[in-house]
Amino acid sequence: MRNIVLLGAPGAGKGTQAVLIAKEYNIPHISTGAILRKNIQEGTELGKQAKSYIEAGQLVPDSLVIDIVADRLGQDDAKNGYILDGFPRTIAQAEALDRVTTIDLVLDINVPFEAIIERLSGRLVCKCGETSHVDWVDSDRKCPKCGETLFVRDDDKPETVRARLAVYEKQTAPLIGYYEAKGNLVSVDVDGSDQVEDVFEKVKKVL
Ligand code: AP5
């Protein structure tokens, strides 16, 4: 299984698991959310166009992300597989993906709603890319990887989280049926109390 798509609601742990999968199977982790946030940070044209959508918890238009992903998948390091995190998020994106690549496995990480709210309300991130949680770090909130100060992501405000979850239900959850019909969907059910390592063990079993 080399070309993998990770599905799951905001906060399901896609990014956390994608980092582990990429390391274990030596394939690149491609996150559209991370690509968009980097563009916002750098003030590029794409970043300027994406900013208001992300801050409102809405999806950026398909036209902005489809070409980026198609280009990224054409790069050399993606020739032997990749893990796509946060793409596709709409049926139109999934259809566009099918036109440029073949997906071997779609992994749906299924986490109870209450656990998602708890996780996102405590998430801390670092500009080096590390993701953590208020309960896992000291009170000075230094990044365990690079030592910089961790911060709360702009779209993790409670009202934006609610908007993101509603957008997920309406626009992204239908992809479960899309991939079920193709026969390449596997769901991993994650209990709110499953630690990151427990989830990764479940993930490795299906990979
Ligand atoms: P994106 O960056 O993709 O955000 P998301 O899908 O909302 O997902 P998150 O990053 O919030 O959560 P995650 O599932 O990766 O969980 P994580 O591992 O961090 O997208 C952001 C925005 O960009 C979108 O809203 C949209 O506007 C735009 N966008 C991106 N792609 C797009 C596309 N294709 N089309 C259109 N627009 C697009 O974990 C969450 C927290 O839980 C962390 O604190 C983590 O440490 C913790 N945690 C993880 N696992 C566990 C565990 N087992 N137990 C306890 N805590 C855990």
Side-chain angles (χ1 to χ4, degrees):
M1 294 295 174
R2 296 180 308 167
N3 298 348
I4 306 163
V5 161
L6 263 189
L7 279 186
K14 301 184 295 296
T16 303
Q17 294 301 320
V19 168
L20 298 173
I21 294 167
K23 199 167 160 208
E24 177 88 9
Y25 298 97
N26 198 22
I27 51 176
H29 167 203
I30 302 172
S31 157
T32 42
I35 293 171
L36 293 169
R37 280 188 291 279
K38 186 161 183 279
N39 276 274
I40 293 175
Q41 227 173 33
E42 292 171 354
T44 66
E45 192 48 43
L46 169 65
K48 283 179 195 150
Q49 291 182 51
K51 192 170 190 291
S52 59
Y53 294 100
I54 292 185
E55 285 178 355
Q58 301 299 314
L59 296 184
V60 307
D62 290 338
S63 58
L64 287 186
V65 280
I66 286 173
D67 289 349
I68 298 173
V69 173
D71 283 354
R72 182 63 187 86
L73 294 183
Q75 290 175 21
D76 278 351
D77 66 341
K79 294 274 188 286
N80 291 319
Y82 51 78
I83 174 113
L84 263 179
D85 160 14
F87 188 96
R89 268 178 143 97
T90 62
I91 298 286
Q93 290 180 16
E95 289 170 347
L97 191 61
D98 286 341
R99 289 194 285 273
V100 296
T101 189
T102 304
I103 300 299
D104 297 316
L105 185 86
V106 179
L107 185 65
D108 174 40
I109 304 185
N110 188 17
V111 183
F113 187 78
E114 305 74 47
I116 284 182
I117 298 288
E118 204 284 315
R119 285 179 186 187
L120 291 184
S121 62
R123 173 162 61 183
L124 294 173
V125 294
C126 181
K127 51 185 181 194
C128 77
E130 184 73 357
T131 293
S132 193
H133 189 278
V134 281
D135 294 342
W136 303 350
V137 293
D138 295 335
S139 54
D140 63 359
R141 297 191 171 183
K142 294 291 180 203
C143 173
K145 198 162 150 201
C146 75
E148 285 286 327
T149 303
L150 297 163
F151 59 93
V152 176
R153 229 167 78 174
D154 279 345
D155 59 350
D156 278 347
K157 290 190 285 255
E159 65 276 20
T160 317
V161 168
R162 278 195 292 278
R164 284 163 59 206
L165 288 169
V167 165
Y168 169 79
E169 284 302 332
K170 188 156 178 240
Q171 291 178 268
T172 307
L175 288 176
I176 293 173
Y178 179 89
Y179 286 117
E180 253 168 9
K182 286 182 173 289
N184 54 1
L185 182 97
V186 180
S187 277
V188 169
D189 290 325
V190 174
D191 195 280
S193 60
D194 282 342
Q195 303 296 303
V196 170
E197 301 71 29
D198 304 330
V199 181
F200 189 46
E201 287 306 313
K202 291 184 183 182
V203 166
K204 278 197 288 191
K205 276 197 189 119
V206 301
L207 294 182

